[in-house]
Amino acid sequence: MSIFDYIYWRIVDTISFILNLTGVFSSKRMAVDLSSPKAVFVKDLIKSDKIVIFSKSYCPYCKLAKEVFDKMKEKYTAIELDGRDDGEEIQGILGEITGARTVPRVFIKENCVGGGSDVKTLYEKGDLQKLIAT
């Protein structure tokens, strides 16, 4: 990813965050019942592997997160939301569970560690390896 791509996506993330905070995207927000069958399905996916990444195939931050785990030779389960009919619904559930709808949503041992930049930062500090090992 070039520096220009990185800057572009950081700007897009920031604008999306501000618009979500101000309610501009409120039409996309839906009340999510975390005991619904789909929410239970999402929680089961999170439990299904030590490392679970909810991703979109075209997203550079998703690619960044997966590249970190590939470099570490760590197996992970990737759920590509853009390839699923229920991807938007799953993303809404992840928003309720984690407080953010953005992808990737990376879970290690059922705990959300954030997105692509967060994973890279944890890796560079040596903290990601510790999270996986413990």
Side-chain angles (χ1 to χ4, degrees):
M1 177 180 344
S2 75
I3 187 69
F4 298 110
D5 290 335
Y6 176 80
I7 291 169
Y8 171 80
W9 285 107
R10 291 305 282 179
I11 291 169
V12 168
D13 282 348
T14 302
I15 291 170
S16 294
F17 174 77
I18 291 168
L19 292 175
N20 279 326
L21 197 61
T22 59
V24 170
F25 290 139
S26 60
S27 63
K28 286 188 114 179
R29 290 183 178 226
M30 55 186 160
V32 176
D33 176 7
L34 292 179
S35 63
S36 72
K38 186 61 71 172
V40 171
F41 169 75
V42 171
K43 291 176 189 176
D44 286 344
L45 281 173
I46 293 167
K47 294 176 186 176
S48 70
D49 201 350
K50 180 169 50 171
I51 302 167
V52 178
I53 304 171
F54 291 87
S55 173
K56 290 189 178 174
S57 59
Y58 57 84
C59 170
Y61 287 105
C62 298
K63 291 176 184 172
L64 174 66
K66 291 182 266 189
E67 286 170 359
V68 169
F69 292 110
D70 289 341
K71 184 186 294 187
M72 294 174 64
K73 296 185 181 356
E74 286 289 340
K75 181 181 88 59
Y76 57 85
T77 297
I79 294 92
E80 300 297 342
L81 298 178
D82 58 323
R84 298 179 59 99
D85 292 336
D86 59 355
E88 184 67 27
E89 185 179 3
I90 290 173
Q91 198 166 352
I93 292 167
L94 290 169
E96 283 294 315
I97 292 171
T98 68
R101 287 181 45 90
T102 57
V103 291
R105 294 284 85 202
V106 180
F107 291 83
I108 298 176
K109 298 180 182 173
E110 300 179 40
N111 295 305
C112 183
V113 296
S117 299
D118 301 312
V119 167
K120 184 172 182 181
T121 300
L122 287 167
Y123 173 72
E124 289 171 347
K125 289 182 175 179
D127 293 336
L128 187 62
Q129 299 84 330
K130 293 174 189 170
L131 285 172
I132 294 169
T134 58

